[in-house]
Amino acid sequence: MLHPENDKGEIVLLRPEFNFMSITLQIKQAVQLAVQQVYQTEIALTDILINETKPEFEGDYTLVTFAFSKKLGLRPDEIAHKLGENLLEKADLIQGFNVVKGFLNLILREDVYFKYLHQIRKQTNFGMFAANGQKVMIEYSSPNTNKPLHFGHLRNIFLGSALSNLLKNNGYEVVKANLINDRGIHICKSMIAWQKFANGANPENTGIKGDHLVGDYYVRFNDEYKIQIQSLKDAGMSQEEAEKKAPIMLEAQEMLRKWESGDPETLSLWKTMNDWVYSGFYHTYQRMGISFDAMYYESNTYLLGKEIVEKGLTNGHLFKKEDGSVWVDLKEEGLDEKLLLRGDGTSVYITQDIGTAVLKYNEHHMQRSVYVIGDEQNYHMQVLKLILQKLNEPRADGIFHLSYGMVELPSGKMKSREGTVVDADDMVDEMIATARKNTEELGKVDDFNAEELQTLYHTLGLGALKFYLLRVDPKKRMIFNPQESIDFHGFTGPFVQFTHARISSIFRKANPDWKNESTTDEHSLNEDEKGLIRMLDEYPLVLQQAGEEYNLALLCNYLHHLAKSFNGFLTQHSVLKAESAATRLFRLQLSEVCKHVIQHGLSLLGVDAPERM
RNA sequence: GGUCUCGUAGCUCAGUUGGAUAGAGCAACAGCCUUCUAAGCUGUAGGUCUUUGGUUCGAAUCCAAACGGGAUCACCA
């Protein structure tokens, strides 16, 4: 219900035509004027609190006057009465009022609703914002190349992808970026295991998807590693020593050294196996409707990172220790000293992140750079931003870590070693299969051909999955119960999709000429209709707030609420068989906007809205 | 131990720039399909908003402490 404000406390009009129409803003302006007239006091629009009136009271919107009470030194109910009388007399949008303690319940004239609905109907892209000249990069997904994507990645991917859609909608120029972690000991582990155990197995001759194939050898490495540790321990070695001395681990480390020194054979294998993984990832992204504008590879950026660090050393922002290692001092910032280059000159994790950040900026010159990364890296991201600021890298202040909580199983964390990881491809398959099962049981689309059915199952399965992962506040960790799987009832994607299909059904059965109809009859609004219009009024604000807070859950909640309200409306009132021609026309218009908002909102979440289901 | 973070119905989550009697979904129970799609709707039941103290007209929301989860504090990535 609030309008966003800038530093000066002024209302910000992202797209003036929306806010001009907004019912709540109209009321606020009227209240502002009333306060001025009755009490000769200026009051900021942002200090005016307007809520929707609770159903148990009479009214449409409610002004809370407690805050004025302190400023004016008067009783809240007295202020409410005075303002109510003034508004009734002066403001032509108010038809009546009542006062309960400090709450001034306002009854709007019906034509306020009609006018609003007509105005948003004129907006062909209601919910879309004009370009704001700002460019933002959003990095998400960012997988390692040693194993397939799992359920935890899905939260990351859907968050990043939906956030990209949302910010684009809200007027930003968006660059979707993916940073591939393609180098390091983890990929060498898969490579070693493949060399030793695969007998030349590849995606073609096994039919196994490339990322899964490589992942299998990563698992195989760990199995072998465990066995070797055990036998070394049986021979009297300590756990710690055995972990260091296990031959297969030494081989992996040797391979990493070869990789870093540019050994052609090693590089060739590395490239081959990474390509298997990429084609697997590509397939997974594609079926989920995920895409990127810019790809970054850590194997490309770590060298740039080194350069930046060297430069920082000569600038005196960094310092060198006796062993030749390079450090940054973050004690002033309340942190510790952090290592940036090892004594032997090799880079560490954060070095390549520094390089990537600079490369990103050099290529795109964006004002803001969002990193969708799990909350276990909060500290790391804080350090990265501080270092870049310290090095005076441009737009370091524009870095934002969209930190999301881990997806956990009821039994706790997913652990690959314990085989409790839920694979992303399996999950998508399972959701599509569930969609199929539910659809077949209901038997509503028996006339669909095979292709239409495939599309529908895909739409519903992915809709359920995406909505499920986006409906929770990203900051909070969430628990996923695979046994119960994901429901298609209640607060879910398919529920919202279903509402869209129902509305679509109405329009299929209406005379297509209804848009040309006109009537001079009067239609009197009922509470359900008013409630729906109030919800539509809220939509641009929800989008704006969701964008500013990087919180897609707000949009999910809104869409569920809207769909729920619409379903309630539909069971109470008939559209096509309305009492009068005017009512029928009005309800068609209202339904049309609701359909648009549902479709538009879902599209931002990356979810399709089916015409039938 | 330091820092950060979370604690709301049996379960999963909303609600947190302080506002009326704290809301959804799932699970449970009772109803509603000759009427635009029942993947729906309505009702019942379910709460010491972890606890204690503070701030005030008013606290789930802000502050402090305690208790209980989680993350992190690597020359790993």
Side-chain angles (χ1 to χ4, degrees):
Chain A
M1 280 294 116
L2 288 170
H3 287 270
E5 56 190 283
N6 63 16
D7 313 337
K8 296 171 209 150
E10 296 164 346
I11 300 269
V12 177
L13 304 184
L14 266 190
R15 189 162 184 182
E17 60 269 30
F18 287 153
N19 291 282
F20 173 70
M21 298 186 299
S22 164
I23 297 171
T24 44
L25 186 56
Q26 288 178 47
I27 297 171
K28 284 187 181 193
Q29 285 171 341
V31 169
Q32 188 180 43
L33 194 62
V35 172
Q36 195 181 44
Q37 287 173 352
V38 177
Y39 297 108
Q40 289 77 48
T41 304
E42 291 294 333
I43 198 148
L45 285 177
T46 50
D47 289 335
I48 298 170
L49 179 58
I50 301 285
N51 291 327
E52 241 185 278
T53 304
K54 303 260 174 192
E56 52 268 38
F57 299 97
E58 192 195 359
D60 298 282
Y61 288 92
T62 297
L63 171 71
V64 184
T65 62
F66 290 100
F68 299 163
S69 170
K70 193 180 282 178
K71 184 164 183 166
L72 299 170
L74 297 164
R75 287 175 38 181
D77 54 343
E78 184 189 329
I79 298 171
H81 273 289
K82 284 262 172 61
L83 292 179
E85 280 160 17
N86 178 281
L87 286 166
L88 187 57
E89 189 189 338
K90 302 274 177 61
D92 51 1
L93 62 162
I94 305 300
Q95 190 181 43
F97 73 92
N98 64 78
V99 174
V100 181
K101 293 186 282 185
F103 299 95
L104 170 59
N105 299 321
L106 299 166
I107 301 161
L108 262 51
R109 282 173 45 147
E110 292 204 339
D111 65 344
V112 175
Y113 287 105
F114 287 120
K115 275 185 193 160
Y116 180 72
L117 185 65
H118 285 127
Q119 277 174 310
I120 55 178
R121 285 191 66 233
K122 277 189 257 168
Q123 290 289 331
T124 48
N125 286 317
F126 176 61
M128 256 184 80
F129 295 81
N132 63 13
Q134 295 272 308
K135 193 169 182 178
V136 57
M137 176 178 281
I138 302 173
E139 178 199 299
Y140 60 99
S141 188
S142 302
N144 290 358
T145 56
N146 61 328
K147 50 179 183 259
L149 302 172
H150 59 70
F151 198 57
H153 289 115
L154 292 183
R155 188 178 197 189
N156 179 309
I157 291 168
F158 295 153
L159 271 174
S161 179
L163 183 65
S164 301
N165 297 337
L166 178 64
L167 293 187
K168 200 169 179 186
N169 178 78
N170 288 10
Y172 290 86
E173 185 184 345
V174 175
V175 182
K176 296 183 284 186
N178 193 355
L179 171 65
I180 310 283
N181 184 358
D182 60 345
R183 67 179 281 273
I185 190 74
H186 54 86
I187 178 70
C188 292
K189 288 178 182 175
S190 300
M191 286 157 65
I192 274 291
W194 184 85
Q195 271 188 339
K196 296 176 92 72
F197 309 115
N199 292 318
N202 63 38
E204 286 73 37
N205 63 26
T206 59
I208 299 172
K209 197 162 162 279
D211 50 339
H212 286 88
L213 183 76
V214 173
D216 290 344
Y217 288 99
Y218 184 70
V219 171
R220 186 65 197 271
F221 173 92
N222 283 309
D223 292 345
E224 190 64 25
Y225 184 38
K226 252 187 271 177
I227 292 167
Q228 292 186 1
I229 289 173
Q230 192 54 49
S231 65
L232 288 175
K233 276 165 73 180
D234 291 346
M237 218 177 254
S238 73
Q239 172 78 24
E240 200 180 336
E241 198 180 1
E243 284 175 10
K244 282 182 186 163
K245 296 267 173 73
I248 195 162
M249 179 57 91
L250 296 177
E251 285 177 277
Q253 285 164 349
E254 173 58 21
M255 184 167 264
L256 182 60
R257 272 188 290 277
K258 280 187 180 169
W259 183 90
E260 289 192 351
S261 65
D263 174 58
E265 199 183 320
T266 305
L267 285 176
S268 167
L269 178 62
W270 170 75
K271 197 175 173 314
T272 301
M273 289 184 70
N274 273 347
D275 282 345
W276 294 346
V277 172
Y278 297 146
S279 69
F281 284 170
Y282 178 75
H283 182 261
T284 303
Y285 288 141
Q286 200 185 31
R287 70 195 298 228
M288 298 191 306
I290 304 300
S291 65
F292 299 94
D293 307 310
M295 301 295 285
Y296 293 93
Y297 299 88
E298 295 197 345
S299 57
N300 280 336
T301 61
Y302 80 105
L303 290 173
L304 178 60
K306 279 189 185 181
E307 277 177 38
I308 313 277
V309 170
E310 300 287 354
K311 200 174 75 185
L313 199 53
T314 51
N315 292 344
H317 296 306
L318 309 175
F319 68 95
K320 196 173 246 182
K321 287 194 176 174
E322 282 174 12
D323 63 353
S325 58
V326 180
W327 296 72
V328 62
D329 185 356
L330 296 175
K331 289 205 202 79
E332 275 180 29
E333 288 80 8
L335 303 177
D336 208 346
E337 294 177 350
K338 298 295 296 180
L339 177 87
L340 299 183
L341 284 180
R342 297 190 185 97
D344 61 4
T346 56
S347 63
V348 292
Y349 180 44
I350 202 156
T351 321
Q352 58 205 25
D353 279 350
I354 293 168
T356 310
V358 172
L359 184 61
K360 282 174 170 179
Y361 179 76
N362 289 346
E363 288 183 355
H364 295 282
H365 294 88
M366 60 285 185
Q367 282 83 10
R368 293 154 91 184
S369 189
V370 178
Y371 291 71
V372 183
I373 300 179
D375 62 6
E376 79 275 8
Q377 298 208 39
N378 285 352
Y379 178 73
H380 175 77
M381 288 304 298
Q382 189 191 359
V383 169
L384 177 65
K385 184 169 178 174
L386 284 172
I387 292 172
L388 290 165
Q389 284 170 330
K390 201 150 193 138
L391 295 173
N392 294 324
E393 287 299 333
R395 298 290 179 187
D397 297 337
I399 287 176
F400 180 81
H401 176 201
L402 175 53
S403 165
Y404 63 91
M406 294 290 101
V407 181
E408 290 178 17
L409 302 168
S411 54
K413 281 185 162 182
M414 289 191 247
K415 287 175 181 158
S416 52
R417 276 168 298 179
E418 291 168 23
T420 55
V421 173
V422 179
D423 179 78
D425 292 317
D426 291 349
M427 198 60 223
V428 172
D429 290 342
E430 205 170 297
M431 294 307 294
I432 291 173
T434 305
R436 173 191 210 111
K437 183 170 151 283
N438 292 349
T439 303
E440 283 172 351
E441 277 172 9
L442 292 166
K444 294 179 187 177
V445 289
D446 292 340
D447 57 321
F448 272 28
N449 66 35
E451 191 187 339
E452 287 170 328
L453 285 173
Q454 268 330 107
T455 305
L456 179 62
Y457 302 152
H458 191 267
T459 296
L460 296 178
L462 274 155
L465 187 57
K466 289 180 180 180
F467 200 93
Y468 180 83
L469 284 166
L470 290 172
R471 71 180 205 195
V472 179
D473 184 334
K475 289 192 292 291
K476 297 191 176 174
R477 63 203 171 91
M478 59 184 292
I479 296 172
F480 167 63
N481 190 337
Q483 268 72 45
E484 292 172 10
S485 191
I486 296 176
D487 211 320
F488 280 40
H489 301 267
F491 185 14
T492 66
F495 174 91
V496 180
Q497 289 172 317
F498 173 69
T499 307
H500 183 268
R502 288 183 84 179
I503 303 175
S504 302
S505 171
I506 294 172
F507 286 105
R508 273 197 304 278
K509 291 182 180 172
N511 182 339
D513 289 338
W514 71 269
K515 285 195 186 193
N516 302 325
E517 287 173 23
S518 67
T519 170
T520 51
D521 294 353
E522 291 286 314
H523 166 59
S524 179
L525 292 168
N526 59 49
E527 281 310 311
D528 293 328
E529 291 161 343
K530 287 180 182 175
L532 282 171
I533 294 178
R534 284 194 296 263
M535 288 203 70
L536 295 174
D537 185 32
E538 243 185 293
Y539 185 55
L541 294 174
V542 169
L543 293 177
Q544 193 165 323
Q545 196 186 347
E548 282 169 4
E549 295 178 11
Y550 303 120
N551 187 352
L552 281 313
L554 295 176
L555 181 53
C556 292
N557 275 294
Y558 172 84
L559 289 173
H560 172 246
H561 192 187
L562 178 63
K564 178 108 181 132
S565 300
F566 197 89
N567 285 330
F569 162 75
L570 271 193
T571 54
Q572 287 292 327
H573 315 283
S574 178
V575 175
L576 296 177
K577 292 181 182 164
E579 309 81 77
S580 72
T583 300
R584 181 176 181 277
L585 183 59
F586 165 78
R587 287 181 183 162
L588 280 165
Q589 292 170 342
L590 178 61
S591 302
E592 185 188 40
V593 181
C594 289
K595 177 169 148 69
H596 166 79
V597 168
I598 289 173
Q599 183 277 327
H600 183 259
L602 284 178
S603 77
L604 297 180
L605 300 176
V607 174
D608 292 329
E611 293 290 311
R612 292 180 57 191
M613 63 185 274

